[in-house]
Amino acid sequence: TQSTWGCSRSSGHTRQSAQRLPHPQSHTTPERVIMTEIVVREAEKDIVMTLASVLEQVINRNDKLPLSPNHVTVFHALRPPSISVKGYLERVSKYVNCSNECYILSLIYMDRVIQRTPGFFISSLNIHRLLITSIMLSAKFFDDTYYNNAFYARVGGVPTAELNNLEVEYLFMVNFSLHVDTDEYERYRKELENHKASLDLQK
């Protein structure tokens, strides 16, 4: 199986948060806080662009493969959405505000789907639903705060009921295996880092 080597916020969308201890009083200056936020946003932009590049390469290759009707899943659309993978990830990044780790976890989860589902491969027909479901699950599993399914559905451009169904199907496809050990995470992180370095050399 081939590896790959995943709105305005209205009051109706609840951002859920784990209970945390109060932070100690900080002596960080406002200027340093602003610079930290800029660095974090730039890092997020880098990982979003890198992940988009990786997925677009996979899709360009896999779209040439024949798709058997027996291998069509709930993630497959009848035709590719008009929004690009890069544009879709930028939209998700803009509104969801998940951690950078979530993007790496989403890639790992998609690989698990591929490895555990015979005949399944990523293509332009399923990547958008895979991404929003992967990122939602990674945020729920890893991040301290995350939104409800209705918000992710709105950002991802799918009905809430459909995203609920996608979430359940995804969990069964990965056998409810969302834990990622440090070695596996680092391996994927370094692969993305290497891919970004190769993109930088091409500029």
Side-chain angles (χ1 to χ4, degrees):
T1 306
Q2 196 172 52
S3 165
T4 54
W5 292 113
C7 290
S8 62
R9 293 183 205 141
S10 68
S11 58
H13 300 292
T14 306
R15 187 165 170 84
Q16 301 172 27
S17 176
Q19 187 67 35
R20 288 181 290 180
L21 295 174
H23 293 291
Q25 187 173 13
S26 173
H27 299 289
T28 306
T29 64
E31 292 80 7
R32 288 191 63 182
V33 170
I34 292 171
M35 287 304 299
T36 300
E37 289 177 352
I38 291 172
V39 170
V40 169
R41 291 301 299 176
E42 285 302 309
E44 181 179 357
K45 181 180 177 182
D46 284 346
I47 198 166
V48 165
M49 295 301 99
T50 304
L51 180 58
S53 174
V54 168
L55 293 174
E56 285 169 350
Q57 287 185 12
V58 172
I59 289 166
N60 289 337
R61 181 175 67 243
N62 288 353
D63 275 353
K64 300 172 185 176
L65 302 174
L67 175 62
S68 167
N70 295 330
H71 296 145
V72 173
T73 70
V74 294
F75 293 94
H76 286 82
L78 294 176
R79 61 187 62 84
S82 57
I83 187 171
S84 67
V85 173
K86 177 175 175 288
Y88 195 72
L89 273 171
E90 286 177 331
R91 173 179 171 79
V92 171
S93 171
K94 178 179 179 180
Y95 294 111
V96 168
N97 288 330
C98 64
S99 65
N100 290 343
E101 288 83 356
C102 283
Y103 297 105
I104 299 174
L105 291 175
S106 68
L107 181 61
I108 295 173
Y109 293 166
M110 284 188 283
D111 256 355
R112 289 181 181 178
V113 169
I114 295 167
Q115 293 160 9
R116 301 179 187 200
T117 312
F120 186 92
F121 56 86
I122 288 177
S123 72
S124 58
L125 295 177
N126 59 30
I127 185 58
H128 297 78
R129 286 180 174 86
L130 282 171
L131 271 174
I132 191 61
T133 312
S134 299
I135 291 171
M136 180 180 73
L137 284 172
S138 63
K140 286 183 176 183
F141 185 79
F142 181 81
D143 284 356
D144 289 334
T145 57
Y146 55 87
Y147 295 101
N148 58 26
N149 284 23
F151 184 81
Y152 290 104
R154 184 178 180 186
V155 172
V158 296
T160 303
E162 181 179 356
L163 186 59
N164 292 342
N165 184 44
L166 293 173
E167 180 181 28
V168 173
E169 184 68 18
Y170 200 110
L171 287 170
F172 275 104
M173 292 171 83
V174 299
N175 197 26
F176 291 82
S177 176
L178 298 180
H179 174 75
V180 176
D181 63 40
T182 303
D183 289 343
E184 183 179 19
Y185 176 86
E186 279 300 304
R187 186 167 70 251
Y188 277 81
R189 186 190 65 78
K190 288 177 181 176
E191 288 288 349
L192 285 174
E193 195 174 81
N194 291 339
H195 186 83
K196 179 184 181 301
S198 67
L199 290 177
D200 291 342
L201 288 175
Q202 296 171 21
K203 292 180 180 178

